[in-house]
Amino acid sequence: MSFRHWRVDDQNNISTVTLDVEGANANTLSHEVLDELAKILDRLAARELEGVIIRSAKGSFIVGADVNEFRQISDSSQAADLARSGQHLLNKLAGLPFPSVAVIHGHCLGGGLELALACRYRVAREDEGTRLGLPEVRLGIHPGFAGTVRLPPLVGDFTALNLMLTGRTVSARQARAMGLVDQTVPERYLLRAAEVLIAKRPKPKRARWWRRVPPWQWLRKPLRRLVERSVRAKANPDHYPAPYRILDLWQQHASQEDEARSLGELLAGRTSRNLVRVFLLGEELKRRGKKHPHGIERVHVVGAGVMGADIAIWTASRGFAVTLQDRHPEILARAMQKAHAFYRKKLKQPRAVQEAMDRLMPDLRGDGLARADLVIEAIVENVDAKRGLFTDVEARVRPTTLLASNTSSIPLEEIATALKDPARLVGLHFFNPVAQMQLVEIVRGAQSGEDALNRARGFATALDRLPLDVKSSPGFLVNRVLMPYLIEAMKLVEEGVPLAEIDGAALDFGMPMGPIRLADTVGLDICLSVAEELSGPLNIQVPQRLRNMVAAGQLGIKSGSGFYQYDARGKPTKGGSREPRNEPITERLILRMVNESVACLREGVVADLDSIDAGMVYGTGFAPYLGGPMRYADTLGDVGIRASLDRLAEEYGQRFQPDAGWLQRELFQR
Ligand code: NAI
């Protein structure tokens, strides 16, 4: 009998079961894949085999459950049933009367790792491409195919908790050290190693006794409290319940059934639904970017300041050959130091660090221009400077070289007038810090050619960033939506609300950083220049206090003083105390963002509502558990939001006037 996704081959009385999901780049555990495996296991169990090997024919073992199927879940009991049937299947695997071995290469994540955990042995390919982990918590859930039950006895309780609570992945080497896999071997020995395990049948691995915590409540309760303290510092239990559920299950030494029920509730809950949607929006941006071949190998970056250096460093770390130009040699030297520190931290292995450094060349005279496939400009935010630079650049590059600007606020069309062939210029707008912010706005000027845009999309995807199409208009999407929020926060400061109160309200809402702290981090000079750029078209009133501070050299963290005062390590001093106030702080901050999002939608800055949510979550970290500003607006209901905006407009001024887009129903069609 043949299967769509699995292949079964027998040799020497060992069955090799290979997963190769039809029509997909990577193996995921969809309904269909699991159903087929159930049939295979029933048959294998009835035979007298020496053993079974489970492996993958793709570039990775299994990347997890099929997240698309999560969207069809309507309630918690249906979701719990899903977990139960997965557990049942893996129990069959675990109960086979002969040894089973998972042969792991590439990614082995989530449900994929749970499947491997149900095997008697695990062998992993020993290279940097192999990553194992249980990232479920990032989607607002926890393992549901008995992972919470099988992992602790194998690797020890605290290691298991750490893996599940952080969702981090580990290399093959780390996995062997913690007992997650039995052996790591080079590719060519993988199957041989599995056969030897089947022949020798060593005792399956267990964590040493001192790494196991007995299931006694009097012991587990205080230990849980200890672990919970560090969880609380990272995740608000009202926003992100999953890590607390993981702790509950552990403390109660829970059964598979408890796990299934708990998973069911999480999967049907708001947080997980929104996180799953945000994840899928990111996947969609990647998918769209991947469609486009970019033909780029050599990248030349001009300007080695905050952004240029980071862009060059990141680009070289992704395998591109990069030349980095600046007018000042000392700035280039600083960028190279920064690169070295970054690669040491990220890549660790000295050889990999050296290779990345070899790909990044300081280039004072711009010699790299002649051979570059792409030039990214990241010099000062000044239109004449940028124009002058591009005229010079165009004369020195090949006719096929793609040109991009990282400008935050200058209309692309104005820069493009400096070019003989303006169609080749696009915006590649990165966010600070480049290594952390996944979004890149692909800015379409009126003159940008489709081919140039496609190459830019493809390139951003190759950088492992998420390309989002935006129209060249003031502030594009992210800064435009962010700015009214920052300005509102500054207004609250002017009204005398303590800094801690303002930032605290935003943090409580679920923002990764308060607006005042964010303004200090970005730099008040940059905030001022973006605010001024937006003040005309968006009718934003730039707070006088901001102007005064910039004039006095108070630029935020970089100058040691901004709204907060900073110590030498960049840590802020206290910003007043928090007491309950009557002021609707959160409402004022968040509704300005939501209202501006609708304005962007109405003006066609982005194509649709999903783009706004993806942009704000991946570009600013907008409360992911709420799924982005438009999803949040949808939860509140547009009638309620309009009424709130009207009320705020009456009390605080016209800036709260509901945008005309609220009344255009067609904008909200999904
Ligand atoms: P920066 O002032 O830190 O760096 C600019 C660098 O360009 C300086 O090192 C300067 O020496 C160099 N430079 C100026 N003119 C040059 C020329 N003709 N040739 C070679 N090098 C030249 O500025 P930053 O913050 O890195 O901003 C650069 C661009 O990125 C701006 O367009 C800005 O709007 C944009 N941007 C900034 C973000 C931020 O958070 N700072 C975020 C996203 C975009």
Side-chain angles (χ1 to χ4, degrees), residues 302-308 325-328 331 377-381 386 389 406-409 429-432 522 526:
V302 194
V306 176
M307 291 306 287
Q325 183 185 354
D326 202 287
R327 286 186 300 201
H328 304 291
I331 291 183
E377 168 277 314
I379 66 167
V380 283
E381 190 72 343
K386 289 192 196 276
L389 180 81
N406 184 46
T407 178
S408 310
S409 56
H429 187 224
F430 289 84
F431 293 86
N432 185 8
V522 170
I526 291 176

Side-chain angles (χ1 to χ4, degrees), residues 198-270:
I198 288 174
K200 294 206 167 148
R201 304 190 177 201
K203 214 167 146 232
K205 273 215 154 67
R206 305 283 286 179
R208 298 291 171 86
W209 65 267
W210 65 82
R211 299 176 66 192
R212 300 279 296 125
V213 179
W216 308 322
Q217 277 305 303
W218 60 265
L219 182 60
R220 287 202 170 201
K221 222 165 145 186
L223 286 175
R224 176 227 167 94
R225 245 183 268 133
L226 219 64
V227 180
E228 192 173 320
R229 227 183 285 159
S230 60
V231 173
R232 267 186 199 272
K234 295 211 180 87
N236 178 335
D238 296 333
H239 302 165
Y240 300 100
Y244 300 88
R245 290 301 188 86
I246 292 171
L247 289 173
D248 289 344
L249 292 174
W250 177 78
Q251 188 191 324
Q252 292 151 15
H253 194 62
S255 63
Q256 293 193 12
E257 176 53 24
D258 297 327
E259 178 192 83
R261 246 184 283 130
S262 168
L263 178 75
E265 284 163 21
L266 289 175
L267 210 43
R270 171 185 71 171

